[in-house]
Amino acid sequence: MLADFPNKYFGIMLTQGSVRSNHVWQIVEMMHESLAGWKGKVLSFQERLILVKHVLGSYPIYSMSVYKWPKRVIRECEKIMRNFLWSGDPSTKKMVTLQWNKTCSPFKEGGLGIRKMETINKALLMKLLWRIQTCTDEFSRFFQGKYKNKKGEWISYYKKSSIWPEIRWIIGAVEEHTRWIVGDGNNVSVWKDIWVKEFPLQEMFPDNTYILQFPKMKVADLILEGEWVVPTEIMAMINIMELPTLGGGADKRVWTGTITGQFTVRSAVEVVRCKFPEIQWCKKVWHNSIHPSISRVVFHFKNPRKLEDIFHLAKNKSPTMQELWILSAFCTMKEIWFLRNECVYGNGKCDSNSSKMRIMKIISDSEIRLKTRMWNNQYDLQVHKYFGMKTRSVKTLKVIEVFFHLPDQGKLLLCCDGASRGNPGISGYGIIGRNYMGDFIIAISEGIGVSTNYYAEIFAILIAGEWAVNNGFIYLVFRTDSKSVQYAFTYNKIPWFASTRWEKISSAAQTWSFEHSYREANPSADKLAKKGAILNCGEQRVYVEKPSFLGCLESPDQIFFRFC
């Protein structure tokens, strides 16, 4: 049986041409129906926030993953969410001092973690386009054949469709955060695609005569027998050190919004949303030890300067004392605000003793929310006694014995470590190679500029593996103190910029494995990494003999101690 358009199919209204407000207005009606059964004014602010974020905000997701919503519908939905959040009534507008854009930002930026509907709509459609570009199923081939020309470029003319307007809306955002990992180079344009720099060469050198002379040049034209053969005209635009490692095979499109190169809606939201400066007190305000009703009140303050003094005073205290200092400060701020409102708008009477008693009562009742440990000293005991709280458990220092192990016979042990002075900050890595007898083989340290510990550890693994396979070692054991790096290489979750280099290492090595070692049992690599952190970016030092600053190398008979 044939149906007329518009018609609903699997919950989505199918229509010809652009999507109009009436095609998706049922979501607005669904919100009103849900709110009719909610007693918004009875619910607390925190409860309304949960409903807005996880119920009202989830209604449009299914439809938004297919259509670009009209702005009128988005404004109406956000109006309902905004009014319900602040007043409890979707039809009542309440004057607030926080802009909606700021409200729809993460907690760390001073917002409430709500997502703007236009941002969600754009991110979901970016997922649709990413699937069309990267998948080879019938669905993707159909859209590529319909909306791309013979050159493989998106059409620029109008075509009656309910999908094409959405694709055209987000093509620029997807291409801006798309990069190519060069394989054979047949699918990568030298000028229009991002493969060697942060932007396409066509945008960086718009008036270059060589680009105008060869507009259809592919990266495959620069590769001969697996090696780069780059004309001098192109070398004038790029640095030879910027050329990526050739891995062969097909070219791969990666998403730069994630470290692994895989597209996620969450990363798409991060790249398209409106960003605000991060604030320092958000983790303290929304900490689990603070009751949400108190956090909500303190949230409206504009980061008081004296609050930083409170954080500084609590810095060298036990974890429990830190929570109590912050809790006391926030409770006092709340009561002073309420006391001021009572004096100005109420009966004009201010009872400081009653306010003090309420503060003490709130702090005492918040005891159940304190989960950290105390120190076994007189100060902690007196404070607990003053607030009428039970003493907390005390963390005892544990001493663990750790050992150094040599690899099996025939294998090369590569101890790797990274160091960052600030994380992120000036970074470097260190590598030391030893055989199964414990003999010194090689040591390398290098500065890599501003980076993080994680990236420094990644570079250490890559440099160590490349040196090993280039020098004939094919049975490799990588040892690192970073469990995240060990997991990334073991389960193929490595950063996209390292994937080609690691594929060449793993294919050249006969066997390879990763081991985790505590830093206390890996001091030589740690010293080399710290040496690398003080070197200039790109400055590498290779030691074919054991450097004197390492002292005695680790041995299986030696016991190391870890304090935790």
Side-chain angles (χ1 to χ4, degrees), residues 416 457-465 478 480 485 489 502 505 514:
C416 308
E457 298 266 3
I458 293 289
F459 278 111
I461 298 293
L462 296 177
I463 298 298
F478 296 93
T480 174
V485 171
F489 281 95
W502 176 247
I505 294 170
F514 280 84

Side-chain angles (χ1 to χ4, degrees), residues 181 247-248 250 252 462 489 492 494 498-509 512:
I181 296 179
K252 183 180 179 181
L462 296 177
F489 281 95
N492 198 26
I494 58 178
S499 59
T500 302
R501 297 173 66 178
W502 176 247
E503 287 174 2
K504 296 185 72 173
I505 294 170
S506 58
S507 60
W512 56 268

Side-chain angles (χ1 to χ4, degrees), residues 9 31 37 42 58 71 168 192 229 288 366 397 449 453 479:
Y9 181 74
M31 286 186 176
V42 179
S58 64
K71 291 186 177 180
R168 186 170 54 185
K192 298 178 181 179
V229 182
N288 291 334
S366 299
L397 183 65
N453 281 329
R479 185 171 294 171

Side-chain angles (χ1 to χ4, degrees), residues 46 292-301 333-334 337-338:
Q46 293 75 30
S293 62
I294 302 175
S295 299
R296 183 246 173 168
V297 174
V298 179
F299 165 75
H300 290 281
F301 283 87
M333 292 170 62
K334 174 187 175 182
W337 190 8
F338 285 9

